[in-house]
Amino acid sequence: METSISSISKKEYSKNELISGKLIRTAILNEIKKDYPDFNEGQYISISELNFYRQRYIENTMKEELGSLTNLEHEVLESFKEGELIAENIDETFKQKLTFGQRLADKIGNFGGSWSFILLFMISLFAWISINVYVLVQKPFDPYPFIFLNLILSCLAALQAPVIMMSQNRLEEKDRERSKHDYKVNLKAELEIRMLNEKVDHLILNQQQKLFEIQKIQ
């Protein structure tokens, strides 16, 4: 197999793994020249090295477009460089971080906002009043106007409200995490598309060069 030397790493590669500098777009070529000023169109670079400079070009372009990058964007760039998946199940990840108290609060909040709670509450209220009015007529434990019942209801409302608020706050936090995750996935998808477009442009340029050479031979 015919081999040649990469002008970047000075390593030996097969001809199929090397790209001529004249087939590289000007923007990528300028990116390479930042590290290797003497690199020109008559020299060769390996595909893996070219992909590295493509990624760096896309990263620099994103920095120019967005300005300073946030931690989320740095995470996306890192996963883009490493070729790692960034998609995940936010619900499962979020559940794994919950403490026992938070899980309990969520269950209480879910039950407190259900028809089961409403029906159980109405049955309990009706039973309480019925027992004190019709069953224990002589010695009711909570005679009319049901002061003890009012105290229990007040305590229940006082406890239920913060528990439901805790659950709602976690739902809002989950929504924020989901929004961040969607942004990261969309940003990485955009970077991948840009990288793919760059490779397609390179293929088109390569095909045009080959067609030009064939025309010259003809």
Side-chain angles (χ1 to χ4, degrees):
M1 182 181 293
E2 190 177 358
T3 62
S4 186
I5 303 296
S6 167
S7 301
I8 301 300
S9 63
K10 307 302 180 183
K11 294 181 180 179
E12 189 175 5
Y13 293 91
S14 66
K15 280 288 188 178
N16 294 333
E17 297 180 53
L18 290 172
I19 304 295
S20 173
K22 62 184 177 181
L23 299 178
I24 302 174
R25 288 203 309 134
T26 304
I28 309 298
L29 190 61
N30 292 336
E31 197 67 39
I32 297 173
K33 287 183 177 181
K34 290 180 182 179
D35 294 339
Y36 301 91
D38 297 332
F39 186 83
N40 56 60
E41 294 182 354
Q43 295 177 320
Y44 290 89
I45 183 174
S46 69
I47 295 175
S48 59
E49 292 163 348
L50 179 60
N51 287 336
F52 169 78
Y53 285 102
R54 281 171 175 163
Q55 290 175 352
R56 199 168 80 173
Y57 167 71
I58 292 172
E59 179 180 349
N60 292 336
T61 302
M62 191 175 75
K63 287 180 180 178
E64 291 176 2
E65 293 175 356
L66 301 178
S68 58
L69 301 182
T70 64
N71 291 333
L72 287 177
E73 287 151 358
H74 281 297
E75 289 178 13
V76 173
L77 283 173
E78 192 63 30
S79 67
F80 178 63
K81 290 178 183 178
E82 299 297 330
E84 298 174 347
L85 288 176
I86 204 169
E88 59 178 338
N89 190 334
I90 291 297
D91 292 333
E92 290 299 324
T93 304
F94 193 80
K95 283 180 181 179
Q96 293 173 1
K97 297 179 181 179
L98 295 180
T99 64
F100 173 76
Q102 291 172 334
R103 294 175 188 274
L104 182 61
D106 287 342
K107 289 180 180 180
I108 294 175
N110 292 334
F111 178 70
S114 65
W115 278 106
S116 299
F117 172 78
I118 294 174
L119 293 174
L120 182 61
F121 177 77
M122 295 299 296
I123 292 172
S124 301
L125 194 64
F126 179 76
W128 184 290
I129 295 174
S130 299
I131 291 172
N132 282 279
V133 172
Y134 299 107
V135 179
L136 304 176
V137 179
Q138 299 298 326
K139 291 183 179 180
F141 60 87
D142 185 24
Y144 181 85
F146 312 112
I147 297 175
F148 186 46
L149 176 61
N150 289 325
L151 176 62
I152 293 176
L153 295 178
S154 299
C155 293
L156 179 63
L159 291 173
Q160 190 179 24
V163 169
I164 292 175
M165 289 180 65
M166 288 168 59
S167 182
Q168 289 177 340
N169 289 337
R170 262 187 304 284
L171 287 176
E172 292 176 1
E173 185 180 351
K174 187 188 293 185
D175 289 338
R176 285 194 296 269
E177 290 295 326
R178 187 177 287 110
S179 298
K180 290 179 182 178
H181 179 260
D182 290 343
Y183 172 71
K184 288 165 65 177
V185 170
N186 291 336
L187 180 58
K188 188 177 181 186
E190 183 178 348
L191 294 178
E192 295 285 359
I193 290 172
R194 288 191 181 189
M195 185 72 166
L196 183 61
N197 287 338
E198 171 60 35
K199 290 181 179 180
V200 171
D201 290 341
H202 169 74
L203 289 174
I204 292 174
L205 184 62
N206 191 17
Q207 291 295 327
Q208 289 176 342
Q209 183 68 23
K210 288 181 178 179
L211 288 174
F212 181 71
E213 292 174 356
I214 293 172
Q215 287 176 351
K216 286 176 63 178
I217 294 172
Q218 290 176 344

